[in-house]
Amino acid sequence: GQQLNQSPQSMFIQEGEDVSMNCTSSSIFNTWLWYKQDPGEGPVLLIALYKAGELTSNGRLTAQFGITRKDSFLNISASIPSDVGIYFCAGLNTGTASKLTFGTGTRLQVTL
Amino acid sequence: DAGVIQSPRHEVTEMGQEVTLRCKPISGHDYLFWYRQTMMRGLELLIYFNNNVPIDDSGMPEDRFSAKMPNASFSTLKIQPSEPRDSAVYFCASSFGVPYGYTFGSGTRLTVV
């Protein structure tokens, strides 16, 4: 099935650094979601975006719904060790199909 | 709220055997999804239900895979016969109205030897 392209694929950063990752699609979505997956667990919803241009924060996390509706961005400020995991974007078009299309994931490693 | 509950957490079975994975969605959620996760293919949607009715099973890889949702609080994903290439983590997720995002279970790690 279709997948969204995320970049970077993996990141190694030091504790305290800021992180940026993005997600791009050839298709337009009207909802963008960001999930985090810890080892051995299922993905957990972090942020949901419903309008082009929308900027939403959840603690140290900030996500944006791209103006073109074909991309989204996630920033993490002042990273901490528990930020380690895989971050997935997901797109949804509620008008045509009630199913999420997931990105390929960005693996984040945080060193002390 | 206990969240989405999947069982078993781990399953090791021999090729050719039948495997049944179970899921209890969050009470009140009207959508249920089955996903498969592998390193090569990432998260793939297999099938989803709305109000216990299968809506889209286009992601089910073969006839060996089947899924049922006999009531609002229980769903199964069955593989018969299982093959080594079915080895993956299988996730169940549920949602109240799709735009609000899914809640995933902890997954079942299936190993077929």
Side-chain angles (χ1 to χ4, degrees):
Chain A
Q2 178 193 8
Q3 280 194 328
L4 306 176
N5 293 316
Q6 284 186 243
S7 65
Q9 284 190 333
S10 63
M11 305 179 72
F12 290 81
I13 63 169
Q14 287 195 323
E15 184 178 6
E17 288 184 354
D18 295 343
V19 174
S20 292
M21 60 189 77
N22 66 70
C23 185
T24 59
S25 169
S26 57
S27 304
I28 288 174
F29 290 104
N30 57 29
T31 299
W32 282 94
L33 305 168
W34 283 92
Y35 285 84
K36 182 193 176 200
Q37 185 176 22
D38 291 327
E41 297 297 329
V44 174
L45 181 65
L46 298 174
I47 291 180
L49 302 158
Y50 301 107
K51 197 186 304 184
E54 180 181 355
L55 189 72
T56 297
S57 293
N58 178 6
R60 295 178 296 106
L61 277 60
T62 301
Q64 184 161 24
F65 192 140
I67 294 290
T68 66
R69 297 168 62 194
K70 291 184 177 181
D71 54 11
S72 182
F73 310 90
L74 177 69
N75 295 314
I76 305 172
S77 62
S79 58
I80 58 178
S82 62
D83 291 334
V84 166
I86 304 176
Y87 291 79
F88 291 98
C89 63
L92 175 67
N93 275 326
T94 53
T96 56
S98 301
K99 54 187 182 182
L100 289 177
T101 299
F102 277 88
T104 49
T106 294
R107 184 180 296 271
L108 179 63
Q109 300 272 31
V110 179
T111 59
L112 299 176
Chain B
D1 192 338
V4 176
I5 300 173
Q6 291 186 246
S7 64
R9 283 301 306 269
H10 302 273
E11 177 81 36
V12 180
T13 190
E14 291 186 344
M15 183 173 63
Q17 296 297 307
E18 177 181 297
V19 175
T20 299
L21 311 181
R22 297 172 175 79
C23 176
K24 176 178 169 53
I26 291 174
S27 176
H29 281 191
D30 55 349
Y31 283 87
L32 184 139
F33 305 83
W34 282 100
Y35 278 84
R36 178 171 68 176
Q37 186 177 37
T38 61
M39 289 292 292
M40 292 296 294
R41 300 173 68 90
L43 277 161
E44 301 175 277
L45 177 66
L46 300 177
I47 185 172
Y48 78 93
F49 297 82
N50 179 219
N51 292 321
N52 312 339
V53 176
I55 303 300
D56 185 345
D57 65 354
S58 60
M60 297 287 260
E62 300 170 35
D63 291 345
R64 298 184 296 107
F65 285 70
S66 62
K68 294 182 180 179
M69 191 165 185
N71 57 61
S73 58
F74 184 66
S75 177
T76 59
L77 178 68
K78 185 177 294 186
I79 308 172
Q80 164 65 15
S82 58
E83 296 182 3
R85 59 194 168 117
D86 301 331
S87 298
V89 181
Y90 291 81
F91 288 104
C92 175
S94 70
S95 172
F96 176 67
V98 177
Y100 298 99
Y102 306 172
T103 300
F104 280 81
S106 297
T108 295
R109 181 173 294 277
L110 174 65
T111 303
V112 183
V113 298

